[in-house]
């Protein structure tokens, strides 16, 4: 489990007078500070500001203070998010001593501008420990996790000093700490329920008898009614609940609500459309998280666009030349640009990147073998690589794959072939910080066996998927995988340091048996080699032993190998493959049994009933197990269980949030993230659609969660606050689980007909212009429903449109153009349903003159009458070689039209006229001529054409 700590020191500048009373503290002994005894061994959530260095020494919070500052607030420590209630009394007490006697100030007030003070007490600390206490009445209101602050000022002294604090306590106020705000007593999947599948909701009620529920449409008209099913006390939520089952109602529509008495749910749809959108939003998360590339507005919109991060553009120090940690002295640097930022920070971690990449690849491989891979094809995602002929989900996975390969120790270096565990900032990055504004130095942590095996497993898996797409890349992946696996076997116990948590998560793992099994399974499935087969069948994890009700995650990866062995044909005994599938269905059955007893069904279980950091990721991964059980058995109960897991994530949960941003009427917005940080900086965005919050966590391992959620029931330990990182962070491995499950549920939902055309392609760029040709490129269109099938490159000439080329990708090579001619081009996309986009912005260019000898001459004469004419055209071969055939082209300078022609096949597009030889006059020897002609019409004048080409060459 990661441990993330962030400290922000803000000065209380306003000079407010202290209000001191001698009366008693509030009758309720509510403690408003966290970790005042420092028994945890850390100062968290206390922070130490500029000019100070804080640490826990001998069970006390001791701060080294640099002397020579002018004001008390020039050196300070404190705690943010402290609640205060106007008019209520508070008693502050603490113990303190210092190396040298000096005055310090205890200050209560506001942590942000205008920095209003509530109270201040100046005391003198000495080398002898003293106990201080004073009582004051608050003049300001600050909610828990708001802008209230308690700070100690240590500055304004001429010399350096060390000051130690302990047993800091602030008691007062009448509002109890913790708890979630009241919301609707009916909890639903806020996104949508799928027609033809179970539709259930949860009602909070103490009633022991059934209650009447009513389903209303968007107009408020009752369309169905029924009776609730009382379920009584629900342990995970701490509530008494009823179940509402409205599965019999299947009419598609939007804006439905459920009501029971005075309670009304959030609106929801009955439709498969929402899940079709979710499958792509969940995958779009990964483009947002890319490092080393600009996130372009054409793919994500202006709100989420940003420059490339960590590409060595100031203030970034860049990922192109990253050294190892200073204590390692590895003797080399690595170019590790690219990859995905792991979570809300700017770190990139191989073990989390491994499982996340595997899930995207497995999402596609599973669809290829037992599902429908068309929904994951090229043109489905809004990413720069769309339109390149490669399924977009593979393109996205490759962004991380290439980074994983870069983390491998180079040949000739100690531990060559091993893979560095992670790369991140030297210190925790401030919140918020846009990636391109991160000025921290970047450092590589040591290689680890777990990271090495992650890379080996994923590269081997990817190699078989790219085998028919890019054989060279497939071979590169396999070579890296085999080298890594051999290095891991030579270094089987190189474990990540659990204390390497400065600037990034540790991702330490004491057991790598599961990673060895996973990597061996992937290498065996890809190569069929007997050595890997022996490692698979000889593992204690063989035949599904990794599957359990807790679920798989980055630290428990054995199940990933079994999923591959269950899906990919090998020469393993059929009975052993059947045993793996049986382990999956047995685990799924256990989930269903537990879910049947829950008020808010979720496939999630711990030994003590608590919820862990990233519980939503485990819910989604266990949903994957249920989905695979359906794939292998086709039993509806497993399908329904997988959909129930998604219902929980989308709002049928005690927090009454959709844990997926952008989906539902109360989705999470303020996830812990350094760029999606609107809560802290109004110029920054909230979380984009498809981002999954980590979800309920009984551990409350951050100050905001601890302050707001003390005493919470396991499923209610959640708050949508950017500072609550232990419950509301995002991570690539949680979103990869959501993406897999969302794609599967979308596949199992009836898709409505595609009536939405693709988006317009980008403006074409024209290059390599010659007399008769040009190269045209453009940014791809997006079409989540049916995908982009092809593009037409169209010449626009007044009201005339001519298709010059039709291609599957985003580049076309044009030929047969007319020299010295102006062209206006647009590009039109066509999707799998045959719908076409609007025109792209137009581009103009002029072909070059034909400077090569043409070897032809053309004479043109016309007999004109009122509104019509007859033209005779003579073509002469003035070259030295015979023409085996010929094509004449010329533009009319006026509005003439060919109405009937002879001795050639005549056609006209706008002003452009083409005459193609007939078999009997196609061959023209040097010095010989051929005559052709046509009847035409005109209005106004009838000027003769002057620019002729034969076989693409200009003629005299």
């Amino acid at each position: 489990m990661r441990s993330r700590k962030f400290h922000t020191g803000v000065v209380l500048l306003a000079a407010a007078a202290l209000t001191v009373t001698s009366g008693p503290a509030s009758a309720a002994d509510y403690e408003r500070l966290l970790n005042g005894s420092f028994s945890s061994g850390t100062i968290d959530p206390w922070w130490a500001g500029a000019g100070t260095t804080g640490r826990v020494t001998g069970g006390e919070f001791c701060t080294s203070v640099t002397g020579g500052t002018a004001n008390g607030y020039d050196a300070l420590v404190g705690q943010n998010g402290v609640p205060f209630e106007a008019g209520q009394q508070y008693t502050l007490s603490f113990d303190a001593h210092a190396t040298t006697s000096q005055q310090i100030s205890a200050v209560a007030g506001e942590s942000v501008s205008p920095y209003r003070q509530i109270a201040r007490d100046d005391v003198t600390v000495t080398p002898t420990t003293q106990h201080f206490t004073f009582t004051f009445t608050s003049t300001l209101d600050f909610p828990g996790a708001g802008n209230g602050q308690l700070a100690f000022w240590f500055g304004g002294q001429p010399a350096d000093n060390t000051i130690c604090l302990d047993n800091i306590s602030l008691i007062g106020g009448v509002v109890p700490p913790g708890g979630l705000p009241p919301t609707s007593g009916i909890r639903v999947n806020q996104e949508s329920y799928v027609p033809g599948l179970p539709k259930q909701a949860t009602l909070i009620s103490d009633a022991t008898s059934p209650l009447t529920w009513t389903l209303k449409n968007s107009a408020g008209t009752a369309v169905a009614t029924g009776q609730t099913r009382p379920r009584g006390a629900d342990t995970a939520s701490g509530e008494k609940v009823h179940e509402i089952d409205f599965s019999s109602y299947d009419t598609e529509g939007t804006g439905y609500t459920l009501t029971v008495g005075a309670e009304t749910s959030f609106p929801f749809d009955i439709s498969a459309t929402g899940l079709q959108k979710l499958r792509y939003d969940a995958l779009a998360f990964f483009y947002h998280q890319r490092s080393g590339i600009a996130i372009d507005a054409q793919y994500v919109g202006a709100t989420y666009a940003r420059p490339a991060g960590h590409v060595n553009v100031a203030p970034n120090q860049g990922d192109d030349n990253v050294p190892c940690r200073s204590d390692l002295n590895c003797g080399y640097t690595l170019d590790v640009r690219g990859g995905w930022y792991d979570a809300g920070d700017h770190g990139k971690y191989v073990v989390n990147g491994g499982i996340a990449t595997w899930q995207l690849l497995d999402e596609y491989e599973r669809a290829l073998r037992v599902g429908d891979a068309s929904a994951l094809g090229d043109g489905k995602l809004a990413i720069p690589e769309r339109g390149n002929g490669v399924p977009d989900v593979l393109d996205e996975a490759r962004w991380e794959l290439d980074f994983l390969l870069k983390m491998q120790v180079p040949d000739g270096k100690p531990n060559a072939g091993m893979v560095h565990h992670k790369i991140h900032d030297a210190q925790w990055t401030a919140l918020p910080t846009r990636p391109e504004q991160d000025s921290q130095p970047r450092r590589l942590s040591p290689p680890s066996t777990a990271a090495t095996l992650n890379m080996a497993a994923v590269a081997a898996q990817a190699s078989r998927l790219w085998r028919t797409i890019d054989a060279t890349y497939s071979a590169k992946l396999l070579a890296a995988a085999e080298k890594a696996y051999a290095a891991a076997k030579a270094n089987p116990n190189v474990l990540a340091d659990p204390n390497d948590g400065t600037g990034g998560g540790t991702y330490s793992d004491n057991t790598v048996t599961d990673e060895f099994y996973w990597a061996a399974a992937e290498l065996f499935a890809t190569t069929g080699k007997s050595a890997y087969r022996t490692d698979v069948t000889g593992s204690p994890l063989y035949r599904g032993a990794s599957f359990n009700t807790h679920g798989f995650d980055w630290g428990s990866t054995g199940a990933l190998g079994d999923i591959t062995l269950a899906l990919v044909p090998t020469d393993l005994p059929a009975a052993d493959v059947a045993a793996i599938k049986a382990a999956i269905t047995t685990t799924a059955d256990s989930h269903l049994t537990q879910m049947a007893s829950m008020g808010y069904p979720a496939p999630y279980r711990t030994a003590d009933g608590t919820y862990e950091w990233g519980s939503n990721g485990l819910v989604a991964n266990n949903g994957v197990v249920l989905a695979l059980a359906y794939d292998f058995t086709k039993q509806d109960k497993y399908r329904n269980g997988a959909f129930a897991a998604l219902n929980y994530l989308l709002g049928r949960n005690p927090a009454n949030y959709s844990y997926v941003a952008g989906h539902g009427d109360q989705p999470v917005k303020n996830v812990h993230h350094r760029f999606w940080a609107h809560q802290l900086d109004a110029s920054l965005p909230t979380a984009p659609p498809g981002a999954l919050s980590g979800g309920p966590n009984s551990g409350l391992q951050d100050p905001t969660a601890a302050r707001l959620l003390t005493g919470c029931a396991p499923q209610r330990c959640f708050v949508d606050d950017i500072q609550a990182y232990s419950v509301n962070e995002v991570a690539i491995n949680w979103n990869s689980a959501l993406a897999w499950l969302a794609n599967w549920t979308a596949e199992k939902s009836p898709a409505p007909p595609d009536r939405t055309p693709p988006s317009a392609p980008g403006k074409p760029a024209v290059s390599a212009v010659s007399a008769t040709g040009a190269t045209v490129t453009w940014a791809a269109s997006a079409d989540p429903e049916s995908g982009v099938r092809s593009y037409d490159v169209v010449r626009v000439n007044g009201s005339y449109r001519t298709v010059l080329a039709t291609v599957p990708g985003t580049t076309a090579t044009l030929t047969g153009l007319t020299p010295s001619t102006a062209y206006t081009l647009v590009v039109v996309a066509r999707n799998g349903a045959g719908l076409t986009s609007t025109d792209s912005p137009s581009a103009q260019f002029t072909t070059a003159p034909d400077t090569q000898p043409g070897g032809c001459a053309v004479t043109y004469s016309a007999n004109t009458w009122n509104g019509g004419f007859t033209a005779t055209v003579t073509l002469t071969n003035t070259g030295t070689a015979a023409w085996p055939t010929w094509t004449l082209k010329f533009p009319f300078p006026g509005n003439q039209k060919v109405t009937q022609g002879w001795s050639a096949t005549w056609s006209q597009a706008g002003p452009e006229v083409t005459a193609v030889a007939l078999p009997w006059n196609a061959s023209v020897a040097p010095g010989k001529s051929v005559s052709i002609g046509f009847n035409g019409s005109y209005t106004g004048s009838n000027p003769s054409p002057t620019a002729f080409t034969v076989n693409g060459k200009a003629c005299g």
Side-chain angles (χ1 to χ4, degrees), residues 688-712:
L692 176 67
S693 167
N697 174 12
S698 305
L700 307 181
Q701 291 115 324
D702 68 80
T704 297
R707 199 183 304 280
L708 293 178
L709 301 171
T710 298
C712 56

Side-chain angles (χ1 to χ4, degrees), residues 625-862:
V625 172
L626 287 160
L628 289 170
Y630 178 81
D631 283 340
F632 298 145
T633 69
K634 296 301 184 290
Q635 293 185 42
D636 289 349
K637 64 178 181 178
Y638 300 123
R639 178 200 61 195
N640 297 346
F643 274 87
L646 197 59
N647 289 344
Y648 170 85
L649 297 176
L650 289 170
R652 191 188 175 196
N653 57 64
N656 209 18
Y657 274 95
S658 168
Y659 291 125
V660 183
H663 288 262
D665 266 47
Q666 184 165 267
V668 294
K669 296 179 180 178
N670 303 311
V671 300
H672 181 82
H673 198 273
R674 280 161 177 71
F675 176 51
W676 308 329
H678 185 79
Q679 188 178 5
L680 298 179
D681 183 342
S683 70
L684 298 177
T686 59
L692 176 67
S693 167
N697 174 12
S698 305
L700 307 181
Q701 291 115 324
D702 68 80
T704 297
R707 199 183 304 280
L708 293 178
L709 301 171
T710 298
C712 56
Q715 281 188 338
R716 284 184 61 84
C717 293
F718 177 79
V719 61
D720 183 28
D721 190 293
I722 192 171
Q723 301 282 8
Y725 50 86
S726 67
V727 301
N728 203 31
E729 192 170 16
V730 294
I732 52 176
N733 61 313
W734 304 335
N735 243 86
S736 61
L738 174 67
W740 197 109
L741 182 60
N743 178 72
W744 189 91
T745 52
E747 179 188 292
K748 302 307 177 187
S749 305
D754 184 359
R755 297 186 177 90
T756 304
S759 63
K763 181 177 180 177
V766 184
S767 61
V769 178
S770 66
T772 60
T775 298
V776 186
T777 60
W778 57 91
S781 298
D783 191 277
E785 292 81 12
S786 300
V788 176
R789 187 178 67 194
S790 62
Y791 296 90
D792 291 338
V793 181
V794 181
R795 182 186 184 188
V796 179
N797 194 348
S799 60
Y800 293 94
R801 296 169 66 93
T802 305
V803 176
L804 301 181
T806 299
V807 294
T810 57
T811 299
T813 301
L814 305 182
T815 59
L817 305 182
T818 303
S820 301
T821 302
Y823 284 82
T824 297
L825 299 182
V826 296
V827 180
V828 178
R830 181 176 289 102
N831 69 8
L835 303 173
T836 56
S837 72
T838 56
D839 288 352
S840 72
S842 63
Q844 292 76 35
F845 71 99
T846 300
T847 51
D850 189 349
T851 58
Q852 299 180 8
C856 61
V858 175
T859 60
Y860 178 96
S861 62

Side-chain angles (χ1 to χ4, degrees), residues 72-91:
Y73 50 73
D74 289 337
L76 72 168
V77 299
Q79 184 174 135
N80 292 341
V82 180
F84 291 103
E85 303 160 49
Q88 295 301 316
Q89 282 190 343
Y90 295 84
T91 296

